[in-house]
mmCIF file of all heavy atoms in Angstrom:
data_model
loop_
_atom_site.group_PDB
_atom_site.id
_atom_site.type_symbol
_atom_site.label_atom_id
_atom_site.label_comp_id
_atom_site.label_asym_id
_atom_site.label_seq_id
_atom_site.Cartn_x
_atom_site.Cartn_y
_atom_site.Cartn_z
ATOM 1 N N ARG T 92 7.240 13.461 -16.683
ATOM 2 C CA ARG T 92 7.875 13.293 -15.492
ATOM 3 C C ARG T 92 7.014 13.720 -14.258
ATOM 4 O O ARG T 92 7.092 13.160 -13.193
ATOM 5 C CB ARG T 92 9.227 13.992 -15.371
ATOM 6 C CG ARG T 92 10.125 13.255 -16.364
ATOM 7 C CD ARG T 92 11.493 13.985 -16.363
ATOM 8 N NE ARG T 92 12.171 13.847 -15.015
ATOM 9 C CZ ARG T 92 13.123 14.710 -14.602
ATOM 10 N NH1 ARG T 92 13.357 15.783 -15.327
ATOM 11 N NH2 ARG T 92 13.585 14.555 -13.450
ATOM 12 N N PRO T 96 4.526 10.032 -11.517
ATOM 13 C CA PRO T 96 4.317 9.744 -10.134
ATOM 14 C C PRO T 96 2.955 9.971 -9.562
ATOM 15 O O PRO T 96 2.577 9.431 -8.552
ATOM 16 C CB PRO T 96 5.387 10.651 -9.407
ATOM 17 C CG PRO T 96 6.252 11.292 -10.457
ATOM 18 C CD PRO T 96 5.381 11.215 -11.717
ATOM 19 N N GLY T 184 2.315 -20.964 2.423
ATOM 20 C CA GLY T 184 3.601 -20.781 3.148
ATOM 21 C C GLY T 184 3.546 -20.474 4.616
ATOM 22 O O GLY T 184 4.529 -20.009 5.263
ATOM 23 N N GLN T 191 -1.176 -24.960 13.541
ATOM 24 C CA GLN T 191 -2.034 -24.595 14.756
ATOM 25 C C GLN T 191 -3.520 -24.833 14.355
ATOM 26 O O GLN T 191 -4.319 -25.299 15.209
ATOM 27 C CB GLN T 191 -1.825 -23.047 15.134
ATOM 28 C CG GLN T 191 -2.522 -22.734 16.339
ATOM 29 C CD GLN T 191 -1.746 -21.898 17.321
ATOM 30 O OE1 GLN T 191 -0.500 -22.135 17.445
ATOM 31 N NE2 GLN T 191 -2.385 -20.865 17.896
ATOM 32 N N PHE T 231 -13.517 -23.360 15.190
ATOM 33 C CA PHE T 231 -12.241 -23.386 14.788
ATOM 34 C C PHE T 231 -12.087 -23.674 13.288
ATOM 35 O O PHE T 231 -11.222 -23.080 12.533
ATOM 36 C CB PHE T 231 -11.245 -24.205 15.638
ATOM 37 C CG PHE T 231 -10.785 -23.487 16.779
ATOM 38 C CD1 PHE T 231 -11.134 -23.916 18.060
ATOM 39 C CD2 PHE T 231 -9.877 -22.481 16.814
ATOM 40 C CE1 PHE T 231 -10.726 -23.308 19.251
ATOM 41 C CE2 PHE T 231 -9.409 -21.853 17.951
ATOM 42 C CZ PHE T 231 -9.842 -22.235 19.148
ATOM 43 N N TYR T 237 -11.895 -19.027 6.975
ATOM 44 C CA TYR T 237 -11.746 -17.634 6.783
ATOM 45 C C TYR T 237 -10.288 -17.202 6.741
ATOM 46 O O TYR T 237 -9.891 -16.418 5.857
ATOM 47 C CB TYR T 237 -12.467 -16.906 7.972
ATOM 48 C CG TYR T 237 -12.257 -15.393 7.932
ATOM 49 C CD1 TYR T 237 -12.763 -14.530 7.060
ATOM 50 C CD2 TYR T 237 -11.343 -14.884 8.932
ATOM 51 C CE1 TYR T 237 -12.577 -13.114 7.070
ATOM 52 C CE2 TYR T 237 -11.084 -13.558 8.986
ATOM 53 C CZ TYR T 237 -11.757 -12.645 8.073
ATOM 54 O OH TYR T 237 -11.408 -11.253 8.145
ATOM 55 N N ASN T 241 -8.117 -15.332 3.648
ATOM 56 C CA ASN T 241 -7.194 -14.200 4.041
ATOM 57 C C ASN T 241 -5.851 -14.431 3.626
ATOM 58 O O ASN T 241 -5.089 -13.546 3.098
ATOM 59 C CB ASN T 241 -7.310 -13.816 5.522
ATOM 60 C CG ASN T 241 -8.176 -12.629 5.754
ATOM 61 O OD1 ASN T 241 -7.793 -11.493 5.510
ATOM 62 N ND2 ASN T 241 -9.396 -12.885 6.189
ATOM 63 N N ASP T 245 -3.756 -12.222 1.028
ATOM 64 C CA ASP T 245 -2.553 -11.566 1.467
ATOM 65 C C ASP T 245 -1.362 -11.976 0.490
ATOM 66 O O ASP T 245 -0.577 -11.175 0.219
ATOM 67 C CB ASP T 245 -2.198 -12.175 2.875
ATOM 68 C CG ASP T 245 -2.993 -11.268 3.919
ATOM 69 O OD1 ASP T 245 -3.523 -10.319 3.590
ATOM 70 O OD2 ASP T 245 -2.784 -11.651 5.102
ATOM 71 N N GLU T 248 -1.583 -10.110 -2.768
ATOM 72 C CA GLU T 248 -1.227 -8.637 -2.515
ATOM 73 C C GLU T 248 0.282 -8.588 -2.388
ATOM 74 O O GLU T 248 0.955 -7.618 -2.972
ATOM 75 C CB GLU T 248 -1.956 -8.112 -1.301
ATOM 76 C CG GLU T 248 -3.323 -7.768 -1.595
ATOM 77 C CD GLU T 248 -3.980 -7.035 -0.458
ATOM 78 O OE1 GLU T 248 -3.293 -6.850 0.602
ATOM 79 O OE2 GLU T 248 -5.205 -6.732 -0.536
ATOM 80 N N ARG T 252 2.871 -6.553 -4.854
ATOM 81 C CA ARG T 252 3.699 -5.518 -4.235
ATOM 82 C C ARG T 252 5.165 -5.774 -4.683
ATOM 83 O O ARG T 252 5.887 -4.920 -4.992
ATOM 84 C CB ARG T 252 3.540 -5.514 -2.678
ATOM 85 C CG ARG T 252 3.857 -4.187 -2.068
ATOM 86 C CD ARG T 252 3.338 -4.159 -0.653
ATOM 87 N NE ARG T 252 3.932 -5.077 0.185
ATOM 88 C CZ ARG T 252 3.250 -5.978 0.867
ATOM 89 N NH1 ARG T 252 1.996 -6.002 0.709
ATOM 90 N NH2 ARG T 252 3.889 -6.747 1.809
ATOM 91 N N TYR T 259 9.820 -0.944 -10.311
ATOM 92 C CA TYR T 259 10.445 0.406 -10.024
ATOM 93 C C TYR T 259 11.901 0.289 -9.901
ATOM 94 O O TYR T 259 12.652 1.219 -10.305
ATOM 95 C CB TYR T 259 9.781 0.833 -8.691
ATOM 96 C CG TYR T 259 8.579 1.662 -8.878
ATOM 97 C CD1 TYR T 259 7.390 1.131 -8.232
ATOM 98 C CD2 TYR T 259 8.459 2.759 -9.592
ATOM 99 C CE1 TYR T 259 6.169 1.758 -8.444
ATOM 100 C CE2 TYR T 259 7.251 3.367 -9.823
ATOM 101 C CZ TYR T 259 6.068 2.975 -9.265
ATOM 102 O OH TYR T 259 4.917 3.588 -9.449
ATOM 103 N N LEU L 78 -7.024 -16.719 16.769
ATOM 104 C CA LEU L 78 -6.476 -17.767 17.753
ATOM 105 C C LEU L 78 -5.537 -18.781 17.068
ATOM 106 O O LEU L 78 -4.651 -19.321 17.636
ATOM 107 C CB LEU L 78 -7.676 -18.452 18.426
ATOM 108 C CG LEU L 78 -8.366 -17.522 19.515
ATOM 109 C CD1 LEU L 78 -9.641 -18.256 19.971
ATOM 110 C CD2 LEU L 78 -7.515 -17.017 20.673
ATOM 111 N N GLU L 79 -5.899 -19.042 15.849
ATOM 112 C CA GLU L 79 -5.040 -19.953 15.075
ATOM 113 C C GLU L 79 -3.902 -19.413 14.513
ATOM 114 O O GLU L 79 -2.812 -20.120 14.206
ATOM 115 C CB GLU L 79 -5.966 -20.539 13.880
ATOM 116 C CG GLU L 79 -6.990 -21.503 14.379
ATOM 117 C CD GLU L 79 -7.978 -21.940 13.354
ATOM 118 O OE1 GLU L 79 -8.280 -21.185 12.350
ATOM 119 O OE2 GLU L 79 -8.719 -22.997 13.502
ATOM 120 N N CYS L 81 -2.182 -17.049 16.229
ATOM 121 C CA CYS L 81 -1.263 -16.561 17.364
ATOM 122 C C CYS L 81 -0.347 -17.636 17.767
ATOM 123 O O CYS L 81 -0.514 -18.522 18.606
ATOM 124 C CB CYS L 81 -2.168 -16.160 18.512
ATOM 125 S SG CYS L 81 -1.243 -15.277 19.815
ATOM 126 N N ASN L 82 0.754 -17.746 17.055
ATOM 127 C CA ASN L 82 1.866 -18.777 17.337
ATOM 128 C C ASN L 82 3.196 -18.093 16.981
ATOM 129 O O ASN L 82 3.189 -17.113 16.264
ATOM 130 C CB ASN L 82 1.509 -19.998 16.478
ATOM 131 C CG ASN L 82 1.537 -19.712 15.033
ATOM 132 O OD1 ASN L 82 2.589 -19.490 14.410
ATOM 133 N ND2 ASN L 82 0.382 -19.687 14.355
ATOM 134 N N ARG L 87 7.727 -14.817 11.659
ATOM 135 C CA ARG L 87 8.417 -14.939 10.358
ATOM 136 C C ARG L 87 7.705 -14.198 9.249
ATOM 137 O O ARG L 87 8.295 -13.973 8.277
ATOM 138 C CB ARG L 87 8.485 -16.507 9.986
ATOM 139 C CG ARG L 87 9.499 -16.980 9.160
ATOM 140 C CD ARG L 87 9.495 -18.416 9.030
ATOM 141 N NE ARG L 87 8.277 -18.963 8.737
ATOM 142 C CZ ARG L 87 7.825 -19.177 7.437
ATOM 143 N NH1 ARG L 87 8.465 -18.774 6.510
ATOM 144 N NH2 ARG L 87 6.654 -19.762 7.328
ATOM 145 N N LEU L 91 6.169 -9.705 5.629
ATOM 146 C CA LEU L 91 5.459 -10.115 4.359
ATOM 147 C C LEU L 91 3.935 -9.606 4.482
ATOM 148 O O LEU L 91 3.484 -9.078 3.626
ATOM 149 C CB LEU L 91 5.445 -11.658 4.257
ATOM 150 C CG LEU L 91 6.869 -12.276 4.173
ATOM 151 C CD1 LEU L 91 6.784 -13.766 3.906
ATOM 152 C CD2 LEU L 91 7.699 -11.636 3.006
ATOM 153 N N HIS L 109 -9.285 -8.856 5.476
ATOM 154 C CA HIS L 109 -10.151 -8.856 4.205
ATOM 155 C C HIS L 109 -11.544 -9.240 4.684
ATOM 156 O O HIS L 109 -11.729 -10.128 5.396
ATOM 157 C CB HIS L 109 -9.617 -9.885 3.223
ATOM 158 C CG HIS L 109 -8.422 -9.575 2.662
ATOM 159 N ND1 HIS L 109 -8.231 -8.695 1.571
ATOM 160 C CD2 HIS L 109 -7.194 -9.935 2.971
ATOM 161 C CE1 HIS L 109 -6.871 -8.592 1.348
ATOM 162 N NE2 HIS L 109 -6.276 -9.341 2.131
ATOM 163 N N LYS L 118 -8.309 -4.543 2.211
ATOM 164 C CA LYS L 118 -7.470 -3.821 3.132
ATOM 165 C C LYS L 118 -6.367 -3.077 2.333
ATOM 166 O O LYS L 118 -5.751 -2.211 2.777
ATOM 167 C CB LYS L 118 -6.858 -4.645 4.256
ATOM 168 C CG LYS L 118 -5.990 -5.733 3.776
ATOM 169 C CD LYS L 118 -5.474 -6.578 4.835
ATOM 170 C CE LYS L 118 -4.904 -7.893 4.329
ATOM 171 N NZ LYS L 118 -4.374 -8.611 5.353
ATOM 172 N N LYS L 120 -3.221 -3.903 1.013
ATOM 173 C CA LYS L 120 -1.960 -3.886 1.683
ATOM 174 C C LYS L 120 -0.873 -3.399 0.807
ATOM 175 O O LYS L 120 0.334 -3.339 1.126
ATOM 176 C CB LYS L 120 -1.617 -5.317 2.102
ATOM 177 C CG LYS L 120 -1.999 -5.509 3.623
ATOM 178 C CD LYS L 120 -1.299 -6.624 4.200
ATOM 179 C CE LYS L 120 -1.791 -6.840 5.660
ATOM 180 N NZ LYS L 120 -1.443 -8.132 6.137
ATOM 181 N N VAL L 130 8.109 5.847 -6.395
ATOM 182 C CA VAL L 130 7.872 6.672 -7.569
ATOM 183 C C VAL L 130 8.746 7.971 -7.465
ATOM 184 O O VAL L 130 9.322 8.344 -8.464
ATOM 185 C CB VAL L 130 6.311 7.083 -7.663
ATOM 186 C CG1 VAL L 130 6.040 7.975 -8.836
ATOM 187 C CG2 VAL L 130 5.595 5.789 -7.782
ATOM 188 N N SER L 134 11.474 9.592 -10.099
ATOM 189 C CA SER L 134 11.259 10.865 -10.844
ATOM 190 C C SER L 134 12.248 11.932 -10.472
ATOM 191 O O SER L 134 12.377 12.992 -11.179
ATOM 192 C CB SER L 134 9.828 11.368 -10.565
ATOM 193 O OG SER L 134 9.667 11.656 -9.321
#
Side-chain angles (χ1 to χ4, degrees):
Chain T
R92 291 178 65 204
Q191 188 140 318
F231 274 113
Y237 170 74
N241 256 285
D245 277 352
E248 281 185 0
R252 205 164 64 239
Y259 275 119
Chain L
L78 291 172
E79 287 168 337
C81 191
N82 61 72
R87 203 173 53 83
L91 305 181
H109 296 277
K118 63 182 164 175
K120 269 201 179 161
V130 176
S134 64

